[in-house]
DNA sequence: GCCAACGTTGGC
DNA sequence: GCCAACGTTGGC
């Protein structure tokens, strides 16, 4: 069992949007970074738990929890010329981009803002709070997961 | 294979 | 809207 953090801009797709999906489940599409693609391909497993992070908003922070319910499969938006994620170099016979499906588990009573994450010494090693981090999916240790769950008020 | 130009992310 | 960080592209 691994732990992850996934970022989304709430204007585009928020935790409430996920909670309102049929079966509270959606595919996490649009990943166009090779490091993140490799994590999806190799490391993200069914049953893994994921923090939902709202980025590029006020305030940014962790707002809830979800679970991986389907492991890596081709990201079909790469083949759709009308999609903003269209990538003409992704061959349907050898897809370059992958995605997983995630299911809503819980919205935190108290969102854990980026400021709070940065202020907690136990989380100083998280890549999220280090400068220059731009990956949209990050691995989280069990200790970090437990720390953040303790901060969110359940 | 170097590296400048360019595009994107995301906090502020 | 600014801009630092940094990944990607493409000329050479």
């Amino acid at each position: 069992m691994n732990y992850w953090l996934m970022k989304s801009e709430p204007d585009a797709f928020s935790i409430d949007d996920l909670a309102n999906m049929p079966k509270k489940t959606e595919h996490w599409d649009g990943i166009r970074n090779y490091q993140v693609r490799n994590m999806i391909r190799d490391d993200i497993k069914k049953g893994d738990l994921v923090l939902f992070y709202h980025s590029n908003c006020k305030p940014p922070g962790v707002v809830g929890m979800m679970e991986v319910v389907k492991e890596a499969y081709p990201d079909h938006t790469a083949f759709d010329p009308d999609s903003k994620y269209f990538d003409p170099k992704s061959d349907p016979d050898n897809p370059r981009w992958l995605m997983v499906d995630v299911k809503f588990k819980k919205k935190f009573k108290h969102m854990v803002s980026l400021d709070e994450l940065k202020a907690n010494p136990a989380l100083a090693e998280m890549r999220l709070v280090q400068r220059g981090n731009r990956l949209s999916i990050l691995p989280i240790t069990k200790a970090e997961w437990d720390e953040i769950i303790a901060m969110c008020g359940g």
Side-chain angles (χ1 to χ4, degrees), chain A residues 19 24 27 30 32 37 61 67 73 77 88-89 100 126 152 154:
Chain A
K24 303 189 178 205
H27 46 262
R32 297 292 180 270
R37 190 278 311 273
E67 176 182 356
Y73 65 106
T77 63
K89 286 180 275 193
V100 296
M126 276 210 315
C152 75

Side-chain angles (χ1 to χ4, degrees), chain A residues 6 10 19 71 73 83 95 145 154:
Chain A
M6 296 189 186
E71 293 179 15
Y73 65 106
S83 169
W145 175 275

Side-chain angles (χ1 to χ4, degrees), chain A residues 27-29 40 71-76 97-101:
Chain A
H27 46 262
W28 201 266
D29 62 17
I40 290 174
E71 293 179 15
Y73 65 106
D75 182 342
H76 57 77
W97 303 114
L98 305 171
M99 59 188 179
V100 296
D101 285 357

Side-chain angles (χ1 to χ4, degrees), chain A residues 16-53:
Chain A
D16 293 323
D17 293 330
L18 179 63
N20 290 329
M21 294 300 293
K23 301 183 184 174
K24 303 189 178 205
T25 299
E26 179 63 307
H27 46 262
W28 201 266
D29 62 17
I31 298 297
R32 297 292 180 270
N33 171 286
Y34 288 105
Q35 287 183 60
V36 177
R37 190 278 311 273
N38 293 347
M39 281 192 272
I40 290 174
R41 184 188 60 200
D42 302 332
D43 299 325
I44 299 184
K45 301 301 180 188
K46 188 173 177 179
D48 284 359
L49 294 174
V50 184
L51 296 172
F52 196 127
Y53 179 89

